[in-house]
Every structure is written in C-alpha cells, then in structure tokens.
Amino acid sequence: MQNSQLSPDLLPKHIAIIMDGNGRWAKAQGKPRVFGHKNGVSAVRKTISTAARLGIKAVTLFAFSSENWRRPEEEVGVLMELFITVLSTEVKRLHKNGLRLRVIGDTSRFNQRLQQKIAQAEELTAGNSGMVINIAANYGGKWDITEATRQIAQQVQCGELGVEDINESLITQHLTMSDLPEVDLLIRTSGECRISNFMLWQLAYAEMYFTPIYWPEFNEDSLIEAVTWFIERERRFGCTGEQVRALMECQ
C-alpha cells in the first residue's frame, strides 16, 4: 500500500490549528514574548502555502482567543499591531494565489483601524475560489454557540421559527463557518493537550494532533507529518510523508 498513489480524498478537508508556544519559544531564545509572536508569522505563511498546495479546502488559525484580553496590555497592543501589519502585507499575496481570507469572532472590540483592515482584506479576497483561510480573532467556541442560540431565539420570538424546528442542523447553520466542512484535523503546537474553547461544535468528530513543536518552528514538514498521521488514524493503513508530498505536485 505504501508504494501506491495516495488519493486526495483521504486528506482532511478542514484543518484547524491552535498556534501555541510563541512566548515560550521566545523565552528559550532569551527574547521577549513579542519576538515569538513576530516569528510565528513565518510559520503561518509556510502552513498556508503547504495546505494550499495539498488542496486542503479550509484552514482555520486560532490567532487571538476571547481569553487573550487578560494578557498584559503591552502584549495585547503588540498583537493588534502585528495583526494589522500582517493583514496589510499578506492579503495581496493571498489574493494573487486565489485564496479567500475571513476573520471569525467578535471583531467589534477591535479598534476602528483594525476593523477597517479586516473588512478590506475580506472584501479583496471574497470572490476567490481557492482555499479558505479563517483567522479566529477574539473568538471562543462558547461565544460562537451563544451567538447562534441568540439568533435562533430571536427568530422564534418573531414567529419565524417554532421550537420544534430547532435541531442540530439548524444550530450548525447559525454558527460561524457554517458553509464549510466541519473540522477533520485539529493541530495544537507546544505540547499542550487541550482545545481551549476553540470551535467546540465544529470539532465534534475531529482527530486531534498534539505536537511538542513550538509554533514559530512549525513548517512544511510539520504539517505533512500531521496530515500523514491523520490519514493513518482515519484509514487505518500505512501512509508515508513522501506520498503526501507527491500530492502537492499534483495540485
């Protein structure tokens, strides 16, 4: 089996990533935490490029959770500025490659400049048909489900829906990313083994891959290793990294 050609159908359609370990990686280098966040941008670029070449349908990156506001004010400020800079510099590259960028989460708490950058980036890439990149910013899985519940409750209150109409399918339709496949593979870096309030509903049947690698060190080989592990988990037969790499040449 290992020598046979791998079918693209075996790949995960939707990969979610908790990009963890920036601060600890920086500390190990004797640098401030913000140094890790800035170096994490390179890992984002490599991950998006590799996933697109593999033909993955969607990638969701956990950039800033609703709990991250508790971090030191200076670090939050740097993260916001970094977010603006990355949106400005990367979105043209994504658009050129036909990729679509979306930001999911409660963006109303961000300053007007960042909200404007988000709107511009989403508008520029909205018509693209390639891989969808979701950036989860001020996002939480509980928030997502709560917002969906509130929308449904309002529809019931207005008489547009009956209580008997509420089911799993209806709730799914009101969640963020409802137009995308649910997550097949969750990757978390830095050795932590929890999902930290990330996409609670969409992760219901995901395979969960935890790696000790800190996020700034995550690269093409790291993603291929995770995808290879997924195929072995899902299909219960041997798969090699070389087979996964070969798929990138076919896309």
Side-chain angles (χ1 to χ4, degrees), residues 3-206:
N3 295 323
S4 62
Q5 187 173 3
L6 197 64
S7 168
D9 295 336
L10 301 180
L11 294 172
K13 293 180 177 61
H14 188 170
I15 299 175
I17 304 177
I18 300 175
M19 306 178 292
D20 198 12
N22 287 339
R24 278 167 286 167
W25 178 83
K27 185 177 180 181
Q29 315 289 318
K31 303 283 188 179
R33 289 177 60 87
V34 294
F35 179 76
H37 295 311
K38 290 177 180 177
N39 278 270
V41 175
S42 176
V44 170
R45 193 179 293 125
K46 292 172 185 174
T47 298
I48 290 172
S49 173
T50 305
R53 287 167 61 199
L54 280 171
I56 305 300
K57 302 299 181 188
V59 170
T60 301
L61 304 172
F62 205 6
F64 191 88
S65 76
S66 48
E67 286 80 19
N68 284 158
W69 293 105
R70 302 171 190 165
R71 293 187 177 186
E73 186 176 346
E74 181 183 0
E75 183 177 352
V76 171
V78 169
L79 281 169
M80 295 301 103
E81 285 302 312
L82 183 61
F83 200 4
I84 290 173
T85 302
V86 171
L87 278 173
S88 300
T89 58
E90 297 296 318
V91 68
K92 291 179 182 177
R93 186 200 311 265
L94 300 178
H95 182 52
K96 182 180 178 181
N97 288 292
L99 307 181
R100 183 177 177 189
L101 179 71
R102 300 195 304 198
V103 177
I104 60 169
D106 182 7
T107 59
S108 64
R109 190 168 175 181
F110 297 147
N111 62 46
Q112 283 301 119
R113 188 160 66 103
L114 179 50
Q115 288 188 48
Q116 186 177 13
K117 286 289 183 184
I118 290 171
Q120 290 171 346
E122 290 183 328
E123 183 179 0
L124 178 64
T125 63
N128 295 339
S129 58
M131 185 176 75
V132 178
I133 303 156
N134 299 300
I135 306 296
N138 196 23
Y139 174 89
K142 291 181 178 180
W143 166 86
D144 200 354
I145 296 170
T146 301
E147 287 300 300
T149 305
R150 182 179 290 116
Q151 292 170 29
I152 293 169
Q154 288 174 342
Q155 288 179 295
V156 171
Q157 189 176 42
C158 294
E160 298 172 10
L161 283 174
V163 173
E164 65 279 0
D165 296 321
I166 301 174
N167 53 32
E168 289 185 13
S169 176
L170 183 70
I171 295 172
T172 299
Q173 291 169 33
H174 285 78
L175 293 169
T176 57
M177 299 169 287
S178 59
D179 58 326
L180 298 174
E182 291 195 345
V183 178
D184 299 306
L185 171 63
L186 169 73
I187 300 170
R188 181 167 187 156
T189 56
S190 88
E192 299 293 347
C193 298
R194 56 181 180 270
I195 58 175
S196 298
N197 190 25
F198 184 41
M199 298 173 72
L200 301 178
W201 186 281
Q202 298 91 337
L203 288 173
Y205 298 104

